[in-house]
PDB file of all heavy atoms in Angstrom:
ATOM      1  N   ASP A   1       0.835  -1.201   0.000  1.00 97.00           N
ATOM      2  CA  ASP A   1       0.000   0.000   0.000  1.00 97.00           C
ATOM      3  C   ASP A   1       0.870   1.252   0.000  1.00 97.00           C
ATOM      4  O   ASP A   1       0.599   2.216  -0.731  1.00 97.00           O
ATOM      5  CB  ASP A   1      -0.909  -0.017   1.222  1.00 97.00           C
ATOM      6  CG  ASP A   1      -1.870   1.166   1.253  1.00 97.00           C
ATOM      7  OD1 ASP A   1      -2.910   1.099   0.584  1.00 97.00           O
ATOM      8  OD2 ASP A   1      -1.568   2.156   1.938  1.00 97.00           O
ATOM      9  N   GLN A   2       1.932   1.252   0.799  1.00 97.00           N
ATOM     10  CA  GLN A   2       2.852   2.378   0.835  1.00 97.00           C
ATOM     11  C   GLN A   2       3.453   2.645  -0.547  1.00 97.00           C
ATOM     12  O   GLN A   2       3.479   3.784  -1.027  1.00 97.00           O
ATOM     13  CB  GLN A   2       3.983   2.085   1.825  1.00 97.00           C
ATOM     14  CG  GLN A   2       3.572   2.161   3.282  1.00 97.00           C
ATOM     15  CD  GLN A   2       3.635   3.586   3.807  1.00 97.00           C
ATOM     16  OE1 GLN A   2       4.685   4.217   3.803  1.00 97.00           O
ATOM     17  NE2 GLN A   2       2.505   4.098   4.228  1.00 97.00           N
ATOM     18  N   GLU A   3       3.911   1.605  -1.195  1.00 96.00           N
ATOM     19  CA  GLU A   3       4.541   1.762  -2.506  1.00 96.00           C
ATOM     20  C   GLU A   3       3.544   2.284  -3.542  1.00 96.00           C
ATOM     21  O   GLU A   3       3.872   3.158  -4.348  1.00 96.00           O
ATOM     22  CB  GLU A   3       5.125   0.421  -2.974  1.00 96.00           C
ATOM     23  CG  GLU A   3       5.769   0.464  -4.342  1.00 96.00           C
ATOM     24  CD  GLU A   3       6.893   1.485  -4.436  1.00 96.00           C
ATOM     25  OE1 GLU A   3       7.602   1.704  -3.435  1.00 96.00           O
ATOM     26  OE2 GLU A   3       7.061   2.087  -5.520  1.00 96.00           O
ATOM     27  N   ALA A   4       2.320   1.775  -3.501  1.00 95.00           N
ATOM     28  CA  ALA A   4       1.316   2.195  -4.480  1.00 95.00           C
ATOM     29  C   ALA A   4       0.942   3.659  -4.323  1.00 95.00           C
ATOM     30  O   ALA A   4       0.576   4.323  -5.303  1.00 95.00           O
ATOM     31  CB  ALA A   4       0.077   1.315  -4.349  1.00 95.00           C
ATOM     32  N   PHE A   5       1.026   4.189  -3.100  1.00 92.00           N
ATOM     33  CA  PHE A   5       0.567   5.555  -2.853  1.00 92.00           C
ATOM     34  C   PHE A   5       1.677   6.601  -2.906  1.00 92.00           C
ATOM     35  O   PHE A   5       1.445   7.765  -2.578  1.00 92.00           O
ATOM     36  CB  PHE A   5      -0.157   5.628  -1.499  1.00 92.00           C
ATOM     37  CG  PHE A   5      -1.617   5.311  -1.609  1.00 92.00           C
ATOM     38  CD1 PHE A   5      -2.064   4.000  -1.547  1.00 92.00           C
ATOM     39  CD2 PHE A   5      -2.545   6.323  -1.802  1.00 92.00           C
ATOM     40  CE1 PHE A   5      -3.406   3.702  -1.668  1.00 92.00           C
ATOM     41  CE2 PHE A   5      -3.890   6.038  -1.922  1.00 92.00           C
ATOM     42  CZ  PHE A   5      -4.332   4.724  -1.857  1.00 92.00           C
ATOM     43  N   ARG A   6       2.873   6.213  -3.351  1.00 91.00           N
ATOM     44  CA  ARG A   6       3.974   7.174  -3.345  1.00 91.00           C
ATOM     45  C   ARG A   6       3.709   8.389  -4.232  1.00 91.00           C
ATOM     46  O   ARG A   6       4.253   9.467  -3.986  1.00 91.00           O
ATOM     47  CB  ARG A   6       5.273   6.494  -3.778  1.00 91.00           C
ATOM     48  CG  ARG A   6       5.830   5.599  -2.689  1.00 91.00           C
ATOM     49  CD  ARG A   6       7.286   5.233  -2.900  1.00 91.00           C
ATOM     50  NE  ARG A   6       7.732   4.405  -1.788  1.00 91.00           N
ATOM     51  CZ  ARG A   6       8.121   4.858  -0.616  1.00 91.00           C
ATOM     52  NH1 ARG A   6       8.120   6.160  -0.400  1.00 91.00           N
ATOM     53  NH2 ARG A   6       8.502   4.039   0.335  1.00 91.00           N
ATOM     54  N   ASP A   7       2.896   8.252  -5.272  1.00 85.00           N
ATOM     55  CA  ASP A   7       2.583   9.398  -6.126  1.00 85.00           C
ATOM     56  C   ASP A   7       1.220   9.997  -5.806  1.00 85.00           C
ATOM     57  O   ASP A   7       0.685  10.804  -6.560  1.00 85.00           O
ATOM     58  CB  ASP A   7       2.636   8.999  -7.601  1.00 85.00           C
ATOM     59  CG  ASP A   7       1.661   7.874  -7.954  1.00 85.00           C
ATOM     60  OD1 ASP A   7       1.097   7.260  -7.028  1.00 85.00           O
ATOM     61  OD2 ASP A   7       1.474   7.621  -9.159  1.00 85.00           O
ATOM     62  N   HIS A   8       0.659   9.600  -4.678  1.00 84.00           N
ATOM     63  CA  HIS A   8      -0.639  10.124  -4.263  1.00 84.00           C
ATOM     64  C   HIS A   8      -0.479  11.516  -3.652  1.00 84.00           C
ATOM     65  O   HIS A   8       0.565  11.846  -3.094  1.00 84.00           O
ATOM     66  CB  HIS A   8      -1.264   9.179  -3.226  1.00 84.00           C
ATOM     67  CG  HIS A   8      -2.675   9.498  -2.868  1.00 84.00           C
ATOM     68  ND1 HIS A   8      -2.994  10.397  -1.885  1.00 84.00           N
ATOM     69  CD2 HIS A   8      -3.849   9.039  -3.365  1.00 84.00           C
ATOM     70  CE1 HIS A   8      -4.317  10.470  -1.778  1.00 84.00           C
ATOM     71  NE2 HIS A   8      -4.850   9.681  -2.662  1.00 84.00           N
ATOM     72  N   VAL A   9      -1.532  12.317  -3.748  1.00 80.00           N
ATOM     73  CA  VAL A   9      -1.521  13.664  -3.178  1.00 80.00           C
ATOM     74  C   VAL A   9      -1.198  13.605  -1.686  1.00 80.00           C
ATOM     75  O   VAL A   9      -1.846  12.886  -0.922  1.00 80.00           O
ATOM     76  CB  VAL A   9      -2.897  14.332  -3.371  1.00 80.00           C
ATOM     77  CG1 VAL A   9      -2.954  15.668  -2.640  1.00 80.00           C
ATOM     78  CG2 VAL A   9      -3.190  14.525  -4.853  1.00 80.00           C
ATOM     79  N   GLY A  10      -0.171  14.344  -1.274  1.00 84.00           N
ATOM     80  CA  GLY A  10       0.161  14.466   0.140  1.00 84.00           C
ATOM     81  C   GLY A  10       0.828  13.260   0.764  1.00 84.00           C
ATOM     82  O   GLY A  10       0.939  13.196   2.001  1.00 84.00           O
ATOM     83  N   PHE A  11       1.308  12.306  -0.024  1.00 91.00           N
ATOM     84  CA  PHE A  11       1.889  11.089   0.555  1.00 91.00           C
ATOM     85  C   PHE A  11       3.100  11.395   1.433  1.00 91.00           C
ATOM     86  O   PHE A  11       3.950  12.212   1.091  1.00 91.00           O
ATOM     87  CB  PHE A  11       2.321  10.126  -0.555  1.00 91.00           C
ATOM     88  CG  PHE A  11       3.052   8.913  -0.034  1.00 91.00           C
ATOM     89  CD1 PHE A  11       2.358   7.861   0.518  1.00 91.00           C
ATOM     90  CD2 PHE A  11       4.445   8.862  -0.068  1.00 91.00           C
ATOM     91  CE1 PHE A  11       3.033   6.750   1.025  1.00 91.00           C
ATOM     92  CE2 PHE A  11       5.120   7.753   0.426  1.00 91.00           C
ATOM     93  CZ  PHE A  11       4.413   6.700   0.972  1.00 91.00           C
ATOM     94  N   ALA A  12       3.154  10.722   2.573  1.00 93.00           N
ATOM     95  CA  ALA A  12       4.316  10.760   3.462  1.00 93.00           C
ATOM     96  C   ALA A  12       4.666   9.323   3.823  1.00 93.00           C
ATOM     97  O   ALA A  12       3.782   8.520   4.137  1.00 93.00           O
ATOM     98  CB  ALA A  12       4.010  11.554   4.722  1.00 93.00           C
ATOM     99  N   ALA A  13       5.932   8.991   3.749  1.00 93.00           N
ATOM    100  CA  ALA A  13       6.360   7.624   4.049  1.00 93.00           C
ATOM    101  C   ALA A  13       5.972   7.250   5.473  1.00 93.00           C
ATOM    102  O   ALA A  13       6.184   8.011   6.417  1.00 93.00           O
ATOM    103  CB  ALA A  13       7.874   7.505   3.866  1.00 93.00           C
ATOM    104  N   GLY A  14       5.380   6.081   5.617  1.00 95.00           N
ATOM    105  CA  GLY A  14       4.935   5.625   6.924  1.00 95.00           C
ATOM    106  C   GLY A  14       6.097   5.256   7.832  1.00 95.00           C
ATOM    107  O   GLY A  14       7.162   4.844   7.377  1.00 95.00           O
ATOM    108  N   THR A  15       5.871   5.402   9.120  1.00 96.00           N
ATOM    109  CA  THR A  15       6.864   5.052  10.133  1.00 96.00           C
ATOM    110  C   THR A  15       6.513   3.685  10.736  1.00 96.00           C
ATOM    111  O   THR A  15       5.455   3.116  10.460  1.00 96.00           O
ATOM    112  CB  THR A  15       6.876   6.100  11.247  1.00 96.00           C
ATOM    113  OG1 THR A  15       5.595   6.054  11.931  1.00 96.00           O
ATOM    114  CG2 THR A  15       7.096   7.493  10.689  1.00 96.00           C
ATOM    115  N   GLU A  16       7.394   3.179  11.573  1.00 97.00           N
ATOM    116  CA  GLU A  16       7.098   1.931  12.281  1.00 97.00           C
ATOM    117  C   GLU A  16       5.865   2.103  13.160  1.00 97.00           C
ATOM    118  O   GLU A  16       5.046   1.173  13.293  1.00 97.00           O
ATOM    119  CB  GLU A  16       8.284   1.500  13.125  1.00 97.00           C
ATOM    120  CG  GLU A  16       8.051   0.213  13.926  1.00 97.00           C
ATOM    121  CD  GLU A  16       7.736  -1.013  13.062  1.00 97.00           C
ATOM    122  OE1 GLU A  16       8.099  -1.021  11.869  1.00 97.00           O
ATOM    123  OE2 GLU A  16       7.110  -1.956  13.602  1.00 97.00           O
ATOM    124  N   GLN A  17       5.685   3.284  13.734  1.00 97.00           N
ATOM    125  CA  GLN A  17       4.487   3.551  14.523  1.00 97.00           C
ATOM    126  C   GLN A  17       3.238   3.466  13.648  1.00 97.00           C
ATOM    127  O   GLN A  17       2.200   2.949  14.080  1.00 97.00           O
ATOM    128  CB  GLN A  17       4.583   4.932  15.175  1.00 97.00           C
ATOM    129  CG  GLN A  17       5.546   4.995  16.345  1.00 97.00           C
ATOM    130  CD  GLN A  17       5.016   4.248  17.556  1.00 97.00           C
ATOM    131  OE1 GLN A  17       5.077   3.018  17.623  1.00 97.00           O
ATOM    132  NE2 GLN A  17       4.463   4.968  18.517  1.00 97.00           N
ATOM    133  N   ASP A  18       3.325   3.969  12.433  1.00 97.00           N
ATOM    134  CA  ASP A  18       2.190   3.878  11.510  1.00 97.00           C
ATOM    135  C   ASP A  18       1.847   2.421  11.217  1.00 97.00           C
ATOM    136  O   ASP A  18       0.671   2.041  11.158  1.00 97.00           O
ATOM    137  CB  ASP A  18       2.503   4.607  10.198  1.00 97.00           C
ATOM    138  CG  ASP A  18       2.640   6.096  10.375  1.00 97.00           C
ATOM    139  OD1 ASP A  18       1.936   6.666  11.231  1.00 97.00           O
ATOM    140  OD2 ASP A  18       3.459   6.699   9.658  1.00 97.00           O
ATOM    141  N   PHE A  19       2.880   1.610  11.010  1.00 97.00           N
ATOM    142  CA  PHE A  19       2.604   0.189  10.767  1.00 97.00           C
ATOM    143  C   PHE A  19       1.957  -0.459  11.984  1.00 97.00           C
ATOM    144  O   PHE A  19       1.016  -1.255  11.846  1.00 97.00           O
ATOM    145  CB  PHE A  19       3.878  -0.580  10.404  1.00 97.00           C
ATOM    146  CG  PHE A  19       3.651  -2.064  10.391  1.00 97.00           C
ATOM    147  CD1 PHE A  19       2.880  -2.657   9.408  1.00 97.00           C
ATOM    148  CD2 PHE A  19       4.149  -2.869  11.414  1.00 97.00           C
ATOM    149  CE1 PHE A  19       2.623  -4.028   9.417  1.00 97.00           C
ATOM    150  CE2 PHE A  19       3.904  -4.231  11.439  1.00 97.00           C
ATOM    151  CZ  PHE A  19       3.131  -4.819  10.431  1.00 97.00           C
ATOM    152  N   GLN A  20       2.431  -0.146  13.178  1.00 97.00           N
ATOM    153  CA  GLN A  20       1.865  -0.749  14.373  1.00 97.00           C
ATOM    154  C   GLN A  20       0.402  -0.336  14.557  1.00 97.00           C
ATOM    155  O   GLN A  20      -0.435  -1.140  14.990  1.00 97.00           O
ATOM    156  CB  GLN A  20       2.690  -0.374  15.605  1.00 97.00           C
ATOM    157  CG  GLN A  20       4.075  -0.996  15.628  1.00 97.00           C
ATOM    158  CD  GLN A  20       4.044  -2.514  15.600  1.00 97.00           C
ATOM    159  OE1 GLN A  20       3.132  -3.151  16.146  1.00 97.00           O
ATOM    160  NE2 GLN A  20       5.029  -3.119  14.958  1.00 97.00           N
ATOM    161  N   GLU A  21       0.071   0.908  14.217  1.00 97.00           N
ATOM    162  CA  GLU A  21      -1.325   1.341  14.271  1.00 97.00           C
ATOM    163  C   GLU A  21      -2.167   0.523  13.297  1.00 97.00           C
ATOM    164  O   GLU A  21      -3.259   0.070  13.627  1.00 97.00           O
ATOM    165  CB  GLU A  21      -1.424   2.832  13.937  1.00 97.00           C
ATOM    166  CG  GLU A  21      -2.789   3.461  14.201  1.00 97.00           C
ATOM    167  CD  GLU A  21      -3.759   3.269  13.067  1.00 97.00           C
ATOM    168  OE1 GLU A  21      -3.326   3.058  11.914  1.00 97.00           O
ATOM    169  OE2 GLU A  21      -4.985   3.323  13.322  1.00 97.00           O
ATOM    170  N   PHE A  22      -1.639   0.321  12.088  1.00 97.00           N
ATOM    171  CA  PHE A  22      -2.299  -0.498  11.065  1.00 97.00           C
ATOM    172  C   PHE A  22      -2.465  -1.939  11.554  1.00 97.00           C
ATOM    173  O   PHE A  22      -3.540  -2.531  11.443  1.00 97.00           O
ATOM    174  CB  PHE A  22      -1.457  -0.451   9.786  1.00 97.00           C
ATOM    175  CG  PHE A  22      -1.861  -1.418   8.716  1.00 97.00           C
ATOM    176  CD1 PHE A  22      -2.812  -1.074   7.770  1.00 97.00           C
ATOM    177  CD2 PHE A  22      -1.269  -2.675   8.630  1.00 97.00           C
ATOM    178  CE1 PHE A  22      -3.174  -1.957   6.764  1.00 97.00           C
ATOM    179  CE2 PHE A  22      -1.622  -3.567   7.632  1.00 97.00           C
ATOM    180  CZ  PHE A  22      -2.581  -3.216   6.697  1.00 97.00           C
ATOM    181  N   ALA A  23      -1.410  -2.495  12.100  1.00 96.00           N
ATOM    182  CA  ALA A  23      -1.411  -3.902  12.497  1.00 96.00           C
ATOM    183  C   ALA A  23      -2.339  -4.189  13.662  1.00 96.00           C
ATOM    184  O   ALA A  23      -2.810  -5.321  13.825  1.00 96.00           O
ATOM    185  CB  ALA A  23       0.013  -4.344  12.851  1.00 96.00           C
ATOM    186  N   ASN A  24      -2.621  -3.176  14.485  1.00 96.00           N
ATOM    187  CA  ASN A  24      -3.420  -3.386  15.687  1.00 96.00           C
ATOM    188  C   ASN A  24      -4.820  -2.795  15.606  1.00 96.00           C
ATOM    189  O   ASN A  24      -5.520  -2.712  16.611  1.00 96.00           O
ATOM    190  CB  ASN A  24      -2.683  -2.798  16.892  1.00 96.00           C
ATOM    191  CG  ASN A  24      -1.448  -3.600  17.257  1.00 96.00           C
ATOM    192  OD1 ASN A  24      -1.544  -4.659  17.872  1.00 96.00           O
ATOM    193  ND2 ASN A  24      -0.284  -3.102  16.857  1.00 96.00           N
TER     194      ASN A  24
END
């Protein structure tokens, strides 16, 4: 999902905290 959205409006690379929020 991160890779697909790299050219999306306002994209910012996710952090490990972002992944943990996603995972939980």
Side-chain angles (χ1 to χ4, degrees):
D1 183 82
Q2 287 275 300
E3 178 58 34
F5 272 86
R6 286 197 179 278
D7 59 349
H8 188 273
V9 173
F11 174 79
T15 65
E16 179 60 23
Q17 286 289 78
D18 293 326
F19 170 70
Q20 292 301 327
E21 190 276 337
F22 170 89
N24 290 282

